Amino acid sequence: MNVTEEGLREHYRTLETGQLIELQAQGTLTDMAARVLEQVLAERSVPSEERAKLTSEITERVSAEREAKQSLASLGQRLGAQLIDTALTVVILTLSFLFGIVATAITIIGAILAFVYLLLADGLPGGQSVGKRALGIAVIDRRTRAPCTYGQSFLRNFLLMMLGVIDWVFIFGDRHQRLGDMAANTIVVRLKHPGANAA
């Protein structure tokens, strides 16, 4: 037995059973690491039913996370959708100011509509603002994969309004999440069939 195996064994013994099974489920271990991990699991005498249940749960979660990463919307798609939504807001504001010459109330209503749209647009059916629908992407809950709610939309877009470019800097991370996405626990994904609602 060489030092590397002993080092691995010591490390694996410090981990919880669930963590060991998760490492195993990821399928990225070397042959030696897989063998040592299996030996450490055997030492713990985990009942086969419990181990099978843990393995199944972890494999499903790892698989869902992999699928979610592969289905993430591109930065170009997200920027394009943002530009479309911003343009729509500008159109609403411009029309309300033009018609506001006749009645001031129209200007106020238009400004309120534009503001509300920017905050809540991602809570529209399927988690799709007009821009996201046009580009076949949607905002979904990172854990449940359900379409973005109005509450989540408000949180993610309020932070964008408050922080601007600072919020967007974080989009280059592993899950392409802005700070608003992290706070709302959302991700933006490509839809398999553009125009279809997110599941």
Side-chain angles (χ1 to χ4, degrees):
M1 187 184 304
N2 61 43
V3 177
T4 307
E5 281 196 26
E6 192 52 46
L8 276 172
R9 191 179 312 284
E10 293 296 320
H11 172 64
Y12 289 158
R13 282 176 177 157
T14 65
L15 300 178
E16 294 178 9
T17 302
Q19 292 173 304
L20 293 175
I21 292 173
E22 185 163 355
L23 277 174
Q24 200 173 47
Q26 289 172 355
T28 56
L29 297 174
T30 63
D31 290 342
M32 181 184 68
R35 185 177 66 253
V36 173
L37 188 144
E38 189 59 46
Q39 290 167 358
V40 172
L41 280 171
E43 288 172 6
R44 296 186 182 186
S45 304
V46 181
S48 57
E49 300 82 20
E50 184 185 337
R51 185 168 169 182
K53 183 182 173 192
L54 273 172
T55 302
S56 173
E57 289 171 0
I58 290 168
T59 302
E60 279 180 31
R61 194 180 79 242
V62 168
S63 174
E65 284 175 5
R66 260 193 214 125
E67 186 183 328
K69 282 183 184 178
Q70 290 169 349
S71 68
L72 290 174
S74 71
L75 300 183
Q77 287 173 311
R78 291 188 67 171
L79 183 58
Q82 189 72 49
L83 290 173
I84 291 170
D85 289 331
T86 302
L88 178 60
T89 305
V90 169
V91 167
I92 293 170
L93 285 171
T94 303
L95 290 174
S96 67
F97 283 124
L98 288 175
F99 289 113
I101 295 169
V102 179
T104 310
I106 294 175
T107 303
I108 295 169
I109 291 168
I112 291 170
L113 281 175
F115 186 68
V116 168
Y117 176 77
L118 280 178
L119 285 173
L120 303 180
D122 296 325
L124 292 172
Q128 295 178 291
S129 64
V130 171
K132 288 180 178 67
R133 186 170 295 279
L135 294 180
I137 62 178
V139 182
I140 62 172
D141 186 284
R142 187 176 71 82
R143 288 197 190 97
T144 66
R145 297 188 67 80
C148 180
T149 65
Y150 286 112
Q152 287 173 310
S153 178
F154 176 87
L155 184 54
R156 70 191 300 276
N157 292 316
F158 180 75
L159 283 174
L160 176 60
M161 282 183 180
M162 293 297 102
L163 302 173
V165 176
I166 295 168
D167 184 55
W168 267 87
V169 167
F170 289 84
I171 205 168
F172 297 100
D174 192 34
R175 290 193 179 103
H176 295 189
Q177 287 180 298
R178 300 187 284 103
L179 279 177
D181 286 312
M182 291 177 201
N185 199 31
T186 56
I187 55 174
V188 184
V189 296
R190 294 186 314 273
L191 298 180
K192 292 177 184 172
H193 306 290
N197 287 344

